[in-house]
């Protein structure tokens, strides 16, 4: 630990060691403990630390204003969806996430320096503790003031940070004698540094981190050139300590809780809730055992039973969960998260369905949408973007509510099948892995599974931390490790950015890597950003090499050529060659790429700004784009999107490109830049279609939208939950696609011998007539079956007191099944076996026959086997078929003998 004590001494703090935990801390007052739980109990519940009471929004404003007045530039909050600018995590968990990896690595300048931000942050690692402990939340506001110190630009470090923190806390009216700074060490994201945990009256209010080391692969600490002040102030806790409410929830979103409490008719027991939070503050709640201990300690301190405690706390805990979770959902959905079964969408659906569960548990009749609206109206006071997305949020909520209840209805059978499988395996309890799988793959909440299992007399133990467990498995993007290749060549000069119309170039051979040529410069676009590479030729001293693929590794473009030809020219390193690209392919790909930008912009305009590109692949004949969207795109919406894109084509808008500093580009355009994916580097190439779209993009494009020609959306499909795929063509390929559709229409019209314009009406007429004929045929077949059935009844015989009928009938398998069923149900026959000349057979047995031990499925199985086939079904009804239909009569005789044998054996065993 690096000792940082100069400022403390100036402020009158002295260093002490906590007698309970042994940690070093700084304090102005004489004290023996460090001020953090469990060394000190909460001393503010019912006894606020400030004379003035602050709500969360007030604390938010005071925090920003305080640091602005002290030279910090306020920046707007970042979206909680972190993948807008980084690809390693899904959601923002702290304000420092906003600046990773580009700023913290030193590649890019920060948006301001120093800066201050109040950042909504989401952490689901304690989701099961929300509502129970009084302090845990899924979504909280982290106030952060940050300084990025380089050798050339030292801003401020430990002394100033400590002073700022001390002054802010006392500015709120908290006595300086109440503050303690506990020395600690922070590690995260591959970095580390000393830190202070700042506490008042038993609760941690802030953490001051001084990032100055990088952790190497060997676990060693290596000093980094950019030293970062990373502070995190828990603004909800400041509101809590100033109000002295029983829980942080009451202090942070009290009006929402009050409306929910009135809806549910729940009385607030301040004594029990306060005691619960007090005891929880003394514990590090990690697992089920901790929660049980918490309950026991609270009940003991209050002198009541666990049952009475549960009855008193559970309704309010449910209200706290609903209030917390709806706030979390508001930020998620407003910032573009689409609930689904993968990635960040999985986490949103987890929170959403958990909210529905607690609404049901509380017995509220109001829908999730109605309750969500209360939270949205509350948050809109500080976050106007929530208000702007209110309609979208409520629409998503309504759809998800319906999907949830549909999932529950469909899931019963899956649970029953799973339990049947476990019982067969001699298991008497459902394993946790299966419970998680049912939730992951089928969306079935564990409580629902437990309810179904209870009715089947099967044990399901739902852990108290179930949702924490599943959230942990879906919290980060799984990044595949790339195979590292080191090439000792200078970066390739890319000529295709300088002159978009150029088709030929001269270059010098630098070397060879496997079956690739490396040049000093190139006109070949290397594959990237969903755009395939250029192809073409390289002419080396009369040897023509076809370039079948180009790719880029660490700035070096590899030109893939035939190995035999490469071996013949590899000795010419240093020589000059002439290259040419396939222009028709290049312009087709450019048209498709620019068309992609237009279609994404059109989709955002028609469907809403939650639309985000989830993937793309450009092609010569057809391309595709994947869009995040919460429901299927309708035909009407699709036509609107297509029309908007083509209107921009007709406007012939210039397509501009510009290399910009990453920070400046983000300031000017926002994270919409990364619609096509996060791009690396300090400088990014910004492709803009003014008034329509702007993206960071390295691909080739048309110079004006008019060069695209026609854009035709060919089809859409839902490739996964929450993602719609649009397949389209551009330019000549779009015309070819339309001509193909016209050919299909004309060919179809020719079949009906009508004009193509008459095809819909004609098809509808033929379909209606076909349905009518089908129904008539079905009716006539039923009549024929009844007539045949009546004629067959006369042919029955008696075998051991059972009536038996077997015959060959001219009927298909459907009719055969209906006939045998009618004969046993209504015709008074006990056993019927019928077959046709194709070797199809069906059999049925009456309840009387089944009681006598007759199993129709066994008889049919063996009878069909006689004809070289097989069959099966249930004891009272079965069917089968054999390839040798000419053996039917012999097979039916075998069936008669089988029945006699069964009945004879039963008689022998004493059955009558």
């Amino acid at each position: 630990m690096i000792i940082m004590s100069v400022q403390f001494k100036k402020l009158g703090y002295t260093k002490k060691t906590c007698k309970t935990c042994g940690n070093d801390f700084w304090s102005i007052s004489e004290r023996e403990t460090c001020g953090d739980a469990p060394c000190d109990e909460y001393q503010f519940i019912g006894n606020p630390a400030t004379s003035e009471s602050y709500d969360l929004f007030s604390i938010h404003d005071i925090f920003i204003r305080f640091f602005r007045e002290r030279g910090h530039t306020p920046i707007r909050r970042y979206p909680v969806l972190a993948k807008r600018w980084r690809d390693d995590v899904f959601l923002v968990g702290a304000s420092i996430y906003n600046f990773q990896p580009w700023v913290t690595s030193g590649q890019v300048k920060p948006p301001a320096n120093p800066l201050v931000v109040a950042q909504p942050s989401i952490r689901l690692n304690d989701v099961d503790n929300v509502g129970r402990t009084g302090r845990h939340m899924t979504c909280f506001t982290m106030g952060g003031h940050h300084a990025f110190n380089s050798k050339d630009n030292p801003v401020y470090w430990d002394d100033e940070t400590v002073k700022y923190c001390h002054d802010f806390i006392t500015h709120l009216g908290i006595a300086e004698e109440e503050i303690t700074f506990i020395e600690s060490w922070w590690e995260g994201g591959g970095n580390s540094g000393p830190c202070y945990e700042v506490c008042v009256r038993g609760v941690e209010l802030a953490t001051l981190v001084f990032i100055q080391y990088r952790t190497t692969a060997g676990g060693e600490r290596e000093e980094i050139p950019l030293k970062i002040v990373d502070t995190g102030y828990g603004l909800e806790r400041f509101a809590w300590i100033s109000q002295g409410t029983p829980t942080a929830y009451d202090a942070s979103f009290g009006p929402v809780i009050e409306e929910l409490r009135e809806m549910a008719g729940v009385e607030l027991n301040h004594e029990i809730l306060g005691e619960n939070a007090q005891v929880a503050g003394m514990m590090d709640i990690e697992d089920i055992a901790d929660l049980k201990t918490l309950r026991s300690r609270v009940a003991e301190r209050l002198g009541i039973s666990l049952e009475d405690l549960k009855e008193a706390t559970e309704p309010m805990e449910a209200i706290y969960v609903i209030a917390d979770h709806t706030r979390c959902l508001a930020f998620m959905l407003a910032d573009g998260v689409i609930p689904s079964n993968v990635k960040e969408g999985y986490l949103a659906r987890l929170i959403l369905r958990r909210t529905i569960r607690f609404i049901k548990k509380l017995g509220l009749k109001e829908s999730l949408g109605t309750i969500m609206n209360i939270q949205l109206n509350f948050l809109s006071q500080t976050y106007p973007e929530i208000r702007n997305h209110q309609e979208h949020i409520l629409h998503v909520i309504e759809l998800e509510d319906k999907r949830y209840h549909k999932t529950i209805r469909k899931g019963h059978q899956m649970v029953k099948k799973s339990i049947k499988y476990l019982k067969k395996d001699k298991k008497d309890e459902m394993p946790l892995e299966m419970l998680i799988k049912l939730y992951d793959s089928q969306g079935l909440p564990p409580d629902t599974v437990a309810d179904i299992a209870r009715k089947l007399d099967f044990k399901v133990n739902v852990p108290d931390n179930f949702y924490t467990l599943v959230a942990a498995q879906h919290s980060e993007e799984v990044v595949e490790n790339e195979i590292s290749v080191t090439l000792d060549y200078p970066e390739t000069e890319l000529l295709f950015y300088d002159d978009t119309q150029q088709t030929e170039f001269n270059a010098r051979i630098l070397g060879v890597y496997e079956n690739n040529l490396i040049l000093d410069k190139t006109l070949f676009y290397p594959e990237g950003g969903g755009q395939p590479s250029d192809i073409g030729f390289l002419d080396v001293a009369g040897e023509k090499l076809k370039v079948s693929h180009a790719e880029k590794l660490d700035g070096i473009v590899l030109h893939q050529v035939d190995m035999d030809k490469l071996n013949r020219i590899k000795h010419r390193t240093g020589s000059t060659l002439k290259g040419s690209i396939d222009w028709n392919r290049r312009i087709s790909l450019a048209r498709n790429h620019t068309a992609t930008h237009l279609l994404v912009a059109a989709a955002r305009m028609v469907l809403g700004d939650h639309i985000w590109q989830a993937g793309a692949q450009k092609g010569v004949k057809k391309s595709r784009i994947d869009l995040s969207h919460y429901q299927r795109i309708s035909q009407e919406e699709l036509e609107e999107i297509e029309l908007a894109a083509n209107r921009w084509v007709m406007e012939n808008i210039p397509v501009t490109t510009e290399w910009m500093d990453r920070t400046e580009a983000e300031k000017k355009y926002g994270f919409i830049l990364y619609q096509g994916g996060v791009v690396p580097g300090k400088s990014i190439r910004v492709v803009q279609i003014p008034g329509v779209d702007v993206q960071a993009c390295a691909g080739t494009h048309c110079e004006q939208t008019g060069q695209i020609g026609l854009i035709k959306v060919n089809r859409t499909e839902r490739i996964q939950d929450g993602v719609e795929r649009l397949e389209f063509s551009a330019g000549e390929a779009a015309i070819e696609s339309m001509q193909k559709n016209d050919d299909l229409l004309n060919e179809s019209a020719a079949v009906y011998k009508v004009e193509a314009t008459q095809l819909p009406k004609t098809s509808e007429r033929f379909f209606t007539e076909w349905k009518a004929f089908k129904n008539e045929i079905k009716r006539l077949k039923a009549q024929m079956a009844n007539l045949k059935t009546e004629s067959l009844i006369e042919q029955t015989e008696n075998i051991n007191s059972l009536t038996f009928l077997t015959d060959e009938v001219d009927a298909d398998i459907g009719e055969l099944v209906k006939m045998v069923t009618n004969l046993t149900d209504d015709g008074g026959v006990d056993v019927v076996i019928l077959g046709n000349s194709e070797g199809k057979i069906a059999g049925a047995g009456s309840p009387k026959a089944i009681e006598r031990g007759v199993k129709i499925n066994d008889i049919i199985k063996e009878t069909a086997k006689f004809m070289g086939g097989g069959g099966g079904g249930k004891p009272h009804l079965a069917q089968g078929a054999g390839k040798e239909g000419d053996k039917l009569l012999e097979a039916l005789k075998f069936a008669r003998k089988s029945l006699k044998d069964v009945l004879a054996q039963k008689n022998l065993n004493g059955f009558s």
Side-chain angles (χ1 to χ4, degrees):
M1 175 72 192
I2 294 179
I3 305 301
M4 299 179 289
S5 57
V6 175
Q7 184 63 55
F8 284 127
K9 288 176 180 175
K10 286 181 180 177
L11 291 168
Y13 284 78
T14 56
K15 188 172 181 177
K16 305 170 180 66
T17 301
C18 178
K19 71 172 186 179
T20 305
C21 67
N23 288 330
D24 291 334
F25 69 96
W26 295 82
S27 171
I28 288 176
S29 63
E30 285 301 319
R31 56 185 302 149
E32 295 181 326
T33 50
C34 62
D36 192 13
C39 304
D40 288 84
E41 284 195 11
Y42 289 171
Q43 296 158 19
F44 59 89
I45 294 175
N47 179 31
T50 60
S51 56
E52 188 175 343
S53 178
Y54 301 103
D55 63 23
L56 178 58
F57 297 151
S58 299
I59 288 289
H60 177 290
D61 292 343
I62 292 167
F63 181 78
I64 296 296
R65 188 167 63 249
F66 178 88
F67 283 98
R68 182 178 59 220
E69 289 169 355
R70 287 154 182 79
H72 293 70
T73 302
I75 64 167
R76 291 183 61 189
R77 76 171 184 92
Y78 279 41
V80 296
L81 184 54
K83 76 173 200 178
R84 288 291 185 256
W85 66 93
R86 55 189 296 186
D87 53 16
D88 55 337
V89 294
F90 299 135
L91 302 170
V92 170
S95 57
I96 194 66
Y97 279 44
N98 301 354
F99 315 111
Q100 294 170 327
W102 312 110
V103 175
T104 55
S105 65
Q107 294 181 60
V108 174
K109 289 180 181 178
N113 197 12
L115 60 82
V116 61
V117 63
Q119 178 61 44
S121 304
I122 295 174
R123 294 181 190 173
L124 304 184
N125 55 320
D126 288 310
V127 64
D128 290 291
N129 292 339
V130 173
R132 290 168 165 165
T133 63
R135 71 180 189 273
H136 284 102
M137 296 181 177
T138 58
C139 181
F140 60 96
T141 316
M142 181 175 280
H145 60 94
H146 299 270
F148 304 88
N149 298 277
S150 64
K151 191 175 181 181
D152 300 330
N153 183 30
V155 184
Y156 65 77
W157 195 233
D158 56 303
D159 282 347
E160 294 89 341
T161 304
V162 166
K163 179 82 164 58
Y164 283 138
C165 184
H166 172 272
D167 290 354
F168 175 71
I169 294 174
T170 54
H171 176 74
L172 292 174
I174 297 172
E176 61 182 13
E177 290 80 13
E178 305 232 36
I179 309 169
T180 59
F181 289 80
I182 305 168
E183 292 185 358
S184 189
W185 187 265
W186 175 89
E187 289 187 6
N191 294 115
S192 61
C195 73
Y196 291 113
E197 294 165 359
V198 187
C199 301
V200 172
R201 294 195 183 183
V203 67
E204 184 182 338
L205 295 178
T207 305
L208 316 178
V209 179
F210 304 94
I211 302 175
Q212 53 187 326
Y213 298 105
R214 177 190 295 115
T215 307
T216 66
E220 300 295 317
R221 285 181 199 143
E222 183 181 277
E223 200 160 338
I224 54 176
L226 188 70
K227 297 186 171 52
I228 303 165
V229 172
D230 171 24
T231 67
Y233 292 65
L235 300 190
E236 284 80 3
R237 293 192 177 185
F238 277 97
W240 187 17
I241 202 171
S242 81
Q243 294 180 40
T245 52
T247 72
Y249 318 119
D250 300 292
S252 303
F253 25 84
V256 175
I257 287 169
E258 189 57 30
E259 282 201 54
L260 290 173
R261 198 175 64 76
E262 287 178 15
M263 275 183 184
V266 173
E267 290 297 320
L268 189 66
N269 190 317
H270 286 83
E271 183 189 4
I272 290 179
L273 292 169
E275 193 64 43
N276 188 77
Q278 192 90 296
V279 176
M282 301 290 288
M283 298 176 63
D284 189 11
I285 309 293
E286 291 292 340
D287 55 28
I288 313 161
D290 292 336
L291 285 165
K292 287 178 179 174
T293 305
L294 168 62
R295 297 284 193 228
S296 298
R297 287 185 185 174
V298 173
E300 187 181 338
R301 282 176 62 149
L302 291 168
I304 59 176
S305 69
L306 277 171
E307 290 71 25
D308 289 342
L309 176 67
K310 194 174 178 183
E311 189 179 331
T313 57
E314 280 198 346
M316 275 311 296
E317 286 176 359
I319 286 173
Y320 292 149
V321 169
I322 294 165
D324 168 87
H325 284 17
T326 49
R327 179 168 75 147
C328 184
L329 283 170
F331 284 111
M332 280 181 160
L333 301 181
D335 290 352
V337 179
I338 301 296
S340 69
N341 54 15
V342 293
K343 301 185 178 181
E344 68 279 353
Y346 178 96
L347 300 174
R349 185 167 282 170
L350 182 151
I351 293 297
L352 193 150
R353 293 188 170 181
R354 201 166 181 270
T355 310
I356 295 171
R357 172 188 156 222
F358 277 94
I359 289 171
K360 183 182 175 185
K361 193 174 181 180
L362 199 56
L364 290 174
K365 291 183 172 60
E366 287 79 4
S367 69
L368 175 59
T370 301
I371 292 167
M372 191 75 197
N373 215 27
I374 296 169
Q375 183 67 262
L376 297 178
N377 290 333
F378 176 69
L379 289 173
S380 296
Q381 301 170 51
T382 297
Y383 303 99
E385 64 271 28
I386 299 283
R387 171 75 67 198
N388 297 340
H389 290 90
Q390 193 155 353
E391 187 180 342
H392 159 71
I393 293 168
L394 292 174
H395 189 42
V396 173
I397 289 291
E398 183 186 355
L399 281 172
E400 283 296 311
D401 203 355
K402 288 176 182 174
R403 285 171 183 157
Y404 170 76
H405 289 101
K406 186 179 178 182
T407 296
I408 298 301
R409 287 194 299 273
K410 286 172 64 180
H412 281 67
Q413 200 57 37
M414 181 60 66
V415 177
K416 287 176 182 176
K417 279 174 69 177
S418 300
I419 289 172
K420 186 179 177 182
Y421 164 79
L422 290 169
K423 284 182 175 178
K424 191 177 177 182
D425 229 21
K426 309 293 184 197
K427 301 275 178 67
D428 60 0
E429 183 178 343
M430 184 175 287
L432 178 59
E433 295 76 23
M434 182 176 281
L435 197 60
I436 291 174
K437 188 177 180 182
L438 283 168
Y439 181 80
D440 271 354
S441 60
Q442 305 297 323
L444 287 169
D447 291 347
T448 302
V449 177
D451 289 343
I452 299 168
R454 202 174 295 116
K455 292 170 187 173
L456 297 170
D457 196 27
F458 196 80
K459 190 177 176 185
V460 172
N461 181 33
V462 182
D464 281 349
N465 62 341
F466 177 85
Y467 289 95
T468 302
L469 293 172
V470 294
Q473 294 177 12
H474 296 266
S475 60
E476 292 186 358
E477 183 71 274
V478 178
V479 181
E480 293 182 9
N481 292 326
E482 296 181 0
I483 298 171
S484 179
V485 176
T486 304
L487 298 172
D488 190 18
Y489 296 99
E491 288 192 5
T492 311
E493 183 184 347
L494 306 177
L495 303 173
F496 47 80
Y497 289 141
D498 301 329
D499 184 352
T500 59
Q501 304 298 309
Q502 189 178 345
T503 59
E504 295 183 345
F505 69 103
N506 294 314
R508 190 164 56 87
I509 301 172
L510 298 182
V512 171
Y513 173 71
E514 294 181 348
N515 61 333
N516 300 279
L517 264 180
I518 296 171
L519 312 176
D520 66 333
K521 62 185 73 169
T522 189
L523 203 56
F524 284 86
Y525 177 82
E527 182 171 3
Q531 180 177 327
S533 75
D534 285 329
I535 61 173
F537 292 93
L538 296 175
D539 195 330
V540 186
E543 187 77 59
K544 201 168 188 180
L545 285 76
K546 182 179 180 180
V547 178
S548 57
H549 181 71
E551 64 177 305
K552 188 163 69 168
L553 288 178
D554 295 329
I556 300 161
V557 177
L558 306 178
H559 304 76
Q560 191 178 102
V561 296
D562 179 78
M563 196 68 185
D564 290 337
K565 289 190 175 182
L566 183 63
N567 287 331
R568 291 203 289 269
I569 61 97
K570 64 194 314 182
H571 64 283
R572 293 188 171 274
T573 299
S575 301
T576 301
L577 56 70
K578 185 175 183 179
S580 61
I581 61 164
D582 181 335
W583 174 251
N584 288 332
R585 176 182 170 88
R586 160 70 73 79
I587 191 62
S588 293
L589 290 169
R591 284 172 178 145
N592 276 271
H593 204 146
T594 308
T596 300
H597 287 217
L598 290 183
L599 283 169
V600 172
R604 286 175 65 83
M605 185 177 77
V606 173
L607 303 174
D609 60 10
H610 65 277
I611 290 291
W612 202 266
Q613 187 175 308
Q617 183 60 51
K618 292 84 181 176
V620 175
K621 294 294 183 183
K622 61 182 180 182
S623 298
R624 67 171 191 264
I625 41 174
D626 300 334
L627 303 173
S628 59
H629 190 44
Y630 50 82
Q631 63 184 3
R632 292 305 312 269
I633 299 174
S634 70
Q635 185 60 34
E636 184 182 351
E637 289 168 334
L638 197 64
E639 288 169 2
E640 281 187 63
I641 291 167
E642 189 178 67
L643 181 60
N646 279 291
R647 279 176 174 160
W648 287 325
V649 169
M650 290 184 284
E651 288 176 24
N652 201 24
I653 305 166
V655 180
T656 65
T657 60
E658 178 187 8
W659 287 94
M660 293 184 71
D661 173 80
R662 186 185 204 94
T663 303
E664 293 307 311
E666 287 179 2
K667 278 184 185 177
K668 187 171 182 179
Y669 300 114
F671 295 120
I672 192 70
L673 281 167
Y674 308 125
Q675 179 74 237
V678 179
V679 296
K682 180 180 179 180
S683 294
I684 56 176
R685 182 171 178 258
V686 177
V687 176
Q688 186 176 14
I689 304 169
V692 177
D693 181 74
V694 60
Q695 290 187 41
C697 179
T700 61
H701 286 272
C702 299
E703 293 185 333
Q704 292 180 289
T705 58
Q707 291 176 344
I708 297 171
L710 180 69
I711 299 174
K712 177 63 187 163
V713 179
N714 301 321
R715 68 188 188 100
T716 66
E717 64 173 318
R718 197 157 185 80
I719 59 164
Q720 69 178 49
D721 200 12
V723 179
E724 287 280 293
R725 173 169 288 173
L726 270 62
E727 187 184 282
F728 68 95
S729 300
E732 288 183 13
I735 296 170
E736 289 169 8
S737 174
M738 293 182 69
Q739 289 172 341
K740 186 179 176 182
N741 288 339
D742 287 343
D743 289 344
L744 285 171
L745 281 173
N746 292 329
E747 286 171 21
S748 301
V751 171
Y752 291 112
K753 295 183 172 57
V754 296
E755 293 292 325
T757 53
Q758 296 298 311
L759 198 54
K761 283 186 178 178
T762 306
S763 298
E764 187 179 4
R765 179 168 59 82
F766 270 85
F767 180 69
T768 304
E769 290 174 359
W770 171 80
K771 270 205 313 187
F773 287 141
K774 186 182 176 186
N775 291 334
E776 180 64 13
I777 290 166
K778 188 177 179 182
R779 187 183 65 79
L780 290 171
K781 278 186 175 182
Q783 281 185 359
M784 287 172 64
N786 288 335
L787 289 170
K788 290 173 185 175
T789 302
E790 289 170 12
S791 66
L792 286 168
I793 290 175
E794 299 169 5
Q795 301 174 33
T796 59
E797 62 175 307
N798 195 293
I799 299 176
N800 275 344
S801 304
L802 290 181
T803 51
F804 174 67
L805 172 61
T806 180
D807 202 356
E808 178 181 350
V809 183
D810 182 16
D812 61 27
I813 189 65
E815 291 176 285
L816 289 175
V817 171
K818 189 162 189 174
M819 288 169 71
V820 297
T821 304
N822 287 344
L823 282 162
T824 53
D825 288 352
D826 307 318
V829 184
D830 292 315
V831 179
V832 184
I833 309 287
L834 299 178
N836 63 20
S837 57
E838 295 176 359
K840 305 283 172 61
I841 55 170
S846 68
K848 182 181 174 183
I850 304 307
E851 196 177 319
R852 291 279 300 277
V854 176
K855 292 184 178 178
I856 298 298
N857 50 341
D858 288 347
I859 294 174
I860 289 293
K861 183 180 177 182
E862 295 303 318
T863 304
K865 200 181 287 184
F866 198 87
M867 295 185 291
K874 296 179 180 178
H876 71 284
L877 181 65
Q879 58 181 289
K883 293 176 284 184
E884 302 168 39
D886 54 336
K887 291 185 178 180
L888 176 67
L889 293 178
E890 293 175 66
L892 293 175
K893 286 178 184 176
F894 173 81
R896 183 178 181 278
K897 182 179 181 301
S898 296
L899 177 65
K900 289 182 75 173
D901 291 346
V902 169
L903 293 174
Q905 185 64 42
K906 294 294 178 184
N907 286 338
L908 193 65
N909 293 336
F911 293 96
S912 58

